[in-house]
Each structure stands twice: as C-alpha cells, then as structure tokens.
Amino acid sequence: MNDKIEFCKTCTNRSFSSSKGIMCGLTNEKPTFVLSCSDYERDIKEEKKIADRQAIIDAGEIYDDKGKPMPTWRIVLSVIIFLIVIARLAMRCSKL
C-alpha cells in the first residue's frame, strides 16, 4: 500500500482526507491499482517539492514545522534552556 501512496503523491488527481490520508481524487478511495494507474497524471511541481524536501533532509540541517531553516541562535538557546532546566531539577532532587 505504501508504494501506491508514494505513487499517488505525485499525481494531479490526488486528494487528502484527514481520516484516510492521501487518496484518489477521482474515486475518493485509497488506491486499488495493481501495477500502474491508468488515470495517473504526473504533477511536476509536487515532484520538485518532494525532491527539495529530500535534499534538505540529506543536507542535515534542522528545520521547523513549516519547513523553514531554524536559526543557529535558536538551537543554541534551546540547548542552554534545556541544560538549565536539567541542572535546576538535579539541584532540587539533591536537596531531598
């Protein structure tokens, strides 16, 4: 099924349901084709988006939920805050 969904991700006929996920926009069902879909229409823009996302992942950079690169200062600040919280927790536990 995952291979079919990957195939459908780059089709212009795809649709999305919050309960079912990616599905065929023509039948409003999960894909049922065996080897290939006769109604498949290639979505070049979506293929490029997927390739760009994969390139970002391969580059090893950290990105936020919206796909924007996370600034270094934000990462460093998050680590510092995390360490302070852990240190305070350790101090409280040692007083017990």
Side-chain angles (χ1 to χ4, degrees), residues 2 8 11 23 29 37-38 45 54 58 63 69 76 80 82 87 90 96:
N2 287 339
C8 293
C11 179
M23 54 188 207
E29 296 293 330
C37 177
S38 60
K45 288 181 181 179
Q54 188 60 45
D58 293 342
Y63 289 81
V76 171
I80 291 171
F82 176 75
L96 297 176

Side-chain angles (χ1 to χ4, degrees), residues 40-74:
Y40 176 78
E41 291 181 24
R42 185 175 171 197
D43 188 344
I44 296 171
K45 288 181 181 179
E46 189 63 25
E47 284 181 351
K48 180 163 178 18
K49 283 181 188 178
I50 292 170
D52 289 346
R53 282 189 212 125
Q54 188 60 45
I56 288 170
I57 291 168
D58 293 342
E61 295 182 24
I62 298 175
Y63 289 81
D64 63 11
D65 296 337
K66 296 178 183 177
K68 295 181 181 178
M70 191 176 293
T72 306
W73 66 265
R74 188 170 167 192

Side-chain angles (χ1 to χ4, degrees), residues 86-96:
I86 295 298
R88 291 184 73 190
L89 183 62
M91 285 191 293
R92 284 185 186 172
C93 289
S94 66
K95 290 180 182 179
L96 297 176

